[in-house]
Amino acid sequence: MEQRIGSSSQPLEGAGFDPAFIPGLTSPVTAEPEETKAAADVDDSDDRDDVQDAVVEAGAAETPAEEEPDEPSDGPVFEASDRRARITADARGVRLRLDEEECEFRWDEIGAIETEAPRFGKRFTITVHTPDRRWYPIEVEATARARFKEWESALDEVLDAYFEEGDEEAEAGQAREA
């Protein structure tokens, strides 16, 4: 009979231990063998210049088109932030940021926006609800409780300008029935 010292279980792999784990994808490529590194060092400097130029051109061509410069819009804009959290609502939609995490909602992705001012304290809560019954709350700490009314009125202006609650859909449904 054979006895082993230590654990007989194998180390686990998967999303529970590696957040970047995606089943079906291969593991990352290991470092290059020294032979290929030595061969790369022998290449002519002209080839390196050509490769560097190609890399620079490819990098310029791959700049993301999604990143639009923040153009000032003509309509109302709501912004509230503290040391950790930030919310911005404008013509493009609503953007929430907490530390390094960020999410963006277009106006057609939003089902409702709810605000809550606590009875005590200075944490103003804004919750974005989506039509698929998910919600995304964010709390912003105000410098004074008087800011709550200012923030609610500014957010109401933005919602009145950009958010459509489906009133047109209800009117269209009533027109079809008549």
Side-chain angles (χ1 to χ4, degrees):
M1 182 169 175
E2 208 175 293
Q3 276 188 324
R4 294 185 186 169
I5 299 174
S7 176
S8 63
S9 65
Q10 296 293 326
L12 297 175
E13 293 182 5
F17 294 95
D18 181 12
F21 177 77
I22 300 174
L25 292 181
T26 59
S27 62
V29 177
T30 58
E32 290 183 41
E34 291 181 24
E35 299 160 358
T36 57
K37 288 181 185 177
D41 291 339
V42 176
D43 289 342
D44 294 29
S45 62
D46 294 334
D47 292 338
R48 288 185 193 151
D49 292 338
D50 293 340
V51 170
Q52 288 175 351
D53 291 341
V55 168
V56 168
E57 290 174 9
E62 293 178 7
T63 55
E66 290 180 16
E67 291 185 24
E68 301 171 358
D70 289 334
E71 299 172 4
S73 62
D74 295 335
V77 175
F78 169 74
E79 290 186 17
S81 64
D82 64 4
R83 60 186 168 79
R84 292 185 62 203
R86 178 183 185 90
I87 180 169
T88 305
D90 57 12
R92 290 181 14 202
V94 177
R95 289 173 299 288
L96 306 176
R97 180 182 173 119
L98 181 63
D99 296 331
E100 284 84 35
E101 298 299 319
E102 193 171 337
C103 62
E104 183 172 348
F105 302 95
R106 294 184 321 265
W107 288 109
D108 61 342
E109 297 175 324
I110 298 173
I113 294 182
E114 176 184 11
T115 61
E116 181 181 351
R119 186 171 179 179
F120 303 105
K122 297 186 223 174
R123 307 267 330 151
F124 186 69
T125 305
I126 298 173
T127 306
V128 177
H129 295 271
T130 60
D132 59 349
R133 297 183 186 214
R134 293 182 185 258
W135 61 93
Y136 302 87
I138 190 164
E139 288 184 338
V140 180
E141 187 170 348
T143 54
R145 291 185 51 84
R147 296 283 308 228
F148 293 165
K149 290 181 183 176
E150 178 184 326
W151 283 347
E152 283 187 358
S153 65
L155 183 60
D156 283 342
E157 286 180 31
V158 171
L159 293 175
D160 289 342
Y162 305 116
F163 185 66
E164 300 172 6
E165 297 181 25
D167 292 336
E168 291 125 14
E169 294 174 11
E171 290 174 7
Q174 291 174 355
R176 278 185 245 138
E177 289 176 5

